[in-house]
């Protein structure tokens, strides 16, 4: 029989309007639902970058079906409401694709619909991903007025030759202008840089990072360029720095960012105090997220199960199906035995580690479900167990952080 949540408890309030299949009995026992974020995918770009495997599609400016897509997002949101009934939203992330291709009026409409239909917490972080190739001062200011609190700019490099080899639509001048304006207009912002680029050497890497640091960014995301299957780079790979060089590059990035007061709090994320990305932290802490838009993924918790959802991937199919009230293309319950790995895959990315109690809060499983691989990881010097006033804590060692996939695999 389904266990009835105590009257008035957050779990009871969140489950009142739920279809029965989400409340069936199950082997998990979750307490209160975790923090909820909302991810909205806006899938168009001016052109497809040769390294990119995101769900992004080239579109000619002016041909993007913005109004229809916003109608579809609203229909998707309305159909999703019973799944998140009564829950407050901690963060919103408008990702892509290139969300900054949307008009400020379109972004204002989207955010106003989200605010009308969902309780956004006061001070809710609202991030928008922007490409410097879509840069115009008035546009960025209008995004701010529409309710965006945090801009994340896909700079990649400040070197014109590197930007060209990455197939980017923007140049150094536009990247500088976008970073300068983000610093002026937004209370907090992020710059994305990639490293280990075709033909990049240490001097080139340092020049890119120093240029970024000159804007005193509150947050930096530094990604090792990876050759993803089914991309133009995978078919015709460029010559990239070898592994030793890219490891040295990462050491240098860590040194220079630390000297500039940015803390590496996750594998690729560096922040000044108070500027960590709430939205991404919620993913890494195995929180919940509602995914809206083409190909968007969601993870939602219920008293006895954790559910994953995916929306139709192709923008045309997504719009058609979402407008007919059927945006979900795939929905699956996470198997009980898959939960420890799924949790650890995320949580081990955090430099500071996590309280062991978080594992039980998020998965409904006892700490004993992790005991054997934790023993093994500790014995191999990849993980440490700490006793803190809040209770036991798990943290990757420096070695575990450097060999993260070895550490994560122990939980498979
Ligand atoms: C989804 S993209 C969104 C930003 C925006 N579309 C842009 O590219 O300017 C997020 C970030 O992922 C990083 N990224 C994308 N593909 C990558 C790859 N193959 N290797 C490493 N980083 C990648 C880039 O730094 C990019 O800014
Ligand atoms: S702009 Fe960003 S999302 Fe679009 S193709 Fe390039 S990397 Fe991918």
């Amino acid at each position: 029989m389904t266990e009835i949540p105590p009257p008035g408890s957050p779990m009871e309030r969140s489950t009142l309007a739920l279809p029965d299949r989400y409340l069936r009995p199950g082997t998990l026992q979750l307490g209160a639902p975790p923090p909820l974020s909302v991810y909205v995918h806006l899938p168009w770009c001016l052109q497809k970058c040769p390294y990119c495997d995101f769900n992004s599609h080239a579109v000619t400016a002016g041909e993007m079906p913005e109004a229809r897509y916003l109608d579809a997002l609203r229909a998707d949101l309305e159909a999703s409401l019973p799944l998140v009934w009564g829950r407050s939203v901690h963060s919103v992330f408008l990702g892509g694709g290139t969300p900054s291709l949307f008009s400020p009026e379109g972004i204002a409409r989207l955010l106003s619909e989200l605010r009308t239909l969902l309780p956004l917490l006061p001070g809710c972080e609202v991030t928008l991903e922007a490409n410097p190739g879509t840069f115009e001062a008035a546009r960025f200011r209008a995004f701010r007025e529409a309710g965006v609190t945090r801009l994340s700019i896909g700079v990649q490099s400040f070197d014109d030759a590197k930007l060209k080899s990455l197939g980017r639509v923007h140049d150094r001048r536009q990247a500088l202008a976008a970073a300068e304006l983000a610093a002026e207009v937004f209370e907090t912002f992020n710059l994305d840089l990639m490293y280990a680029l075709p033909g990049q050497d240490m001097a080139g890497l340092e020049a890119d990072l120093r240029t970024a640091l000159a804007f005193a960014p509150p947050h930096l995301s530094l990604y090792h360029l990876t050759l993803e299957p089914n991309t133009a780079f995978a078919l015709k790979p460029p010559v990239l720095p070898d592994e030793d060089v890219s490891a040295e590059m990462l050491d240098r990035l860590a040194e220079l960012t630390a000297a500039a007061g940015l803390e590496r709090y996750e594998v690729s994320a560096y922040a000044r105090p108070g500027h960590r990305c709430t939205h991404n932290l919620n993913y890494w802490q195995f929180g919940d997220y509602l995914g809206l838009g083409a190909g968007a993924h969601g993870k939602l918790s219920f008293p006895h199960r954790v559910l994953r959802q995916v929306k139709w991937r192709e923008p045309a199919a997504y719009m058609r199906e979402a407008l007919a009230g059927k945006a979900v293309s795939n929905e699956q319950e996470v198997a009980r035995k898959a939960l420890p790995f799924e949790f650890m895959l995320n949580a081990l990315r955090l430099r500071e580690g996590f309280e062991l109690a978080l594992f039980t809060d998020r998965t409904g499983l006892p700490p004993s479900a992790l005991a054997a691989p934790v023993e093994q990881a500790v014995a191999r010097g990849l993980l440490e167990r700490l006793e803190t006033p809040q209770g036991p804590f798990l943290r990757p060692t420096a070695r575990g952080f450097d060999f993260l996939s070895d550490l994560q695999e122990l939980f498979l």
Side-chain angles (χ1 to χ4, degrees):
M1 205 184 83
T2 307
E3 195 174 302
I4 310 291
S9 71
M11 192 53 100
E12 187 207 46
R13 288 201 302 276
S14 75
T15 55
L16 283 178
L18 269 177
D20 280 352
R21 68 179 186 280
Y22 299 108
L23 293 173
R24 282 193 322 265
T27 56
L28 303 177
Q29 300 295 332
L30 276 90
L36 176 69
S37 296
V38 176
Y39 174 79
V40 185
H41 193 73
L42 305 177
W44 289 284
C45 295
L46 289 174
Q47 67 188 40
K48 183 82 182 173
C49 302
Y51 55 86
C52 175
D53 77 336
F54 288 92
N55 183 24
S56 59
H57 305 265
V59 72
T60 317
E63 285 186 4
M64 197 173 63
E66 179 173 307
R68 186 154 189 262
Y69 195 75
L70 292 169
D71 289 344
L73 283 174
R74 182 176 174 120
D76 187 357
L77 172 58
E78 282 175 353
S80 306
L81 287 177
L83 300 185
V84 294
W85 208 252
R87 293 176 65 180
S88 304
V89 173
H90 290 236
S91 66
V92 175
F93 197 101
L94 312 184
T98 304
S100 55
L101 271 184
F102 273 60
S103 67
E105 298 72 34
I107 297 295
R109 173 184 158 190
L110 170 60
L111 291 179
S112 129
E113 287 176 350
L114 282 171
R115 283 184 194 286
T116 307
L117 295 173
L118 289 171
L120 267 55
L121 283 174
C124 178
E125 176 188 276
V126 180
T127 302
L128 176 122
E129 281 186 336
N131 184 316
T134 58
F135 163 84
E136 272 168 55
R139 201 177 170 80
F140 276 25
R141 284 186 211 283
F143 288 139
R144 174 75 195 89
E145 275 154 32
V148 173
T149 63
R150 180 175 185 272
L151 201 69
S152 176
I153 305 178
V155 169
Q156 321 312 350
S157 171
F158 288 100
D159 178 322
D160 277 332
K162 296 284 171 287
L163 289 169
K164 207 160 176 223
S165 70
L166 291 172
R168 297 293 296 186
V169 291
H170 71 274
D171 60 15
R172 172 182 169 83
R173 188 187 51 80
Q174 288 171 305
L176 293 171
E180 193 175 319
L181 196 69
E184 194 188 308
V185 174
F186 289 87
E187 50 221 75
T188 190
F189 68 99
N190 166 61
L191 303 179
D192 279 347
L193 286 183
M194 294 195 297
Y195 70 96
L197 304 178
Q200 191 175 45
D201 59 14
M202 273 304 217
L205 173 90
E206 277 204 35
D208 261 354
L209 186 64
R210 287 189 194 282
T211 308
L213 291 174
F215 294 101
H219 196 287
L220 278 181
S221 299
L222 305 176
Y223 299 110
H224 186 297
L225 174 66
T226 45
L227 296 185
E228 303 289 350
N230 304 318
T231 58
F233 270 9
L235 280 178
K236 201 165 171 248
V239 180
L240 299 176
D242 69 29
E243 258 183 46
D244 288 345
V245 174
S246 68
E248 262 177 58
M249 285 180 165
L250 178 58
D251 290 345
R252 193 72 188 123
L253 291 175
E255 249 170 59
L256 291 174
T257 46
L262 288 153
E263 192 187 354
R264 186 179 181 200
Y265 69 101
E266 185 268 347
V267 177
S268 311
Y270 302 69
R272 283 181 209 292
H275 290 275
R276 292 181 179 191
C277 176
T278 305
H279 188 83
N280 288 338
L281 270 174
N282 194 40
Y283 291 147
W284 299 320
Q285 291 170 342
F286 214 55
D288 275 4
Y289 46 98
L290 176 64
L292 303 172
H297 289 242
K299 167 193 170 270
L300 296 168
S301 304
F302 300 95
H304 304 296
R305 57 192 33 81
V306 176
L307 205 76
R308 289 205 179 275
Q309 276 193 333
V310 190
K311 306 290 164 76
W312 290 95
R313 184 177 163 89
E314 287 301 316
Y318 169 76
M319 288 187 283
R320 188 185 62 237
E321 297 299 321
L323 288 167
K326 298 179 293 184
V328 179
S329 66
N330 195 301
E331 187 174 280
Q332 256 180 344
E333 203 171 311
V334 183
R336 180 186 166 99
K337 67 175 187 318
L339 275 169
F341 178 64
E342 290 214 8
F343 176 90
M344 293 305 260
L345 197 64
N346 286 286
L348 289 170
R349 296 179 64 95
L350 293 166
R351 187 68 200 92
E352 285 169 3
F354 56 90
E355 280 176 52
L356 191 52
L358 189 73
F359 172 72
T360 300
D361 288 351
R362 297 290 191 265
T363 63
L365 296 172
S368 58
L370 285 180
V374 164
E375 282 308 314
Q376 235 184 326
V378 171
R380 287 178 51 182
L382 300 172
L383 190 68
E384 51 195 345
R385 216 189 274 112
L386 308 166
E387 287 306 325
T388 73
Q390 299 90 49
F393 223 81
L394 292 176
R395 180 171 74 185
T397 59
R399 193 179 143 73
F401 206 57
D402 282 347
F403 296 94
L404 191 58
S405 41
D406 293 349
L407 173 55
Q408 287 163 332
E409 268 171 29
L410 294 177
F411 294 88
L412 248 182

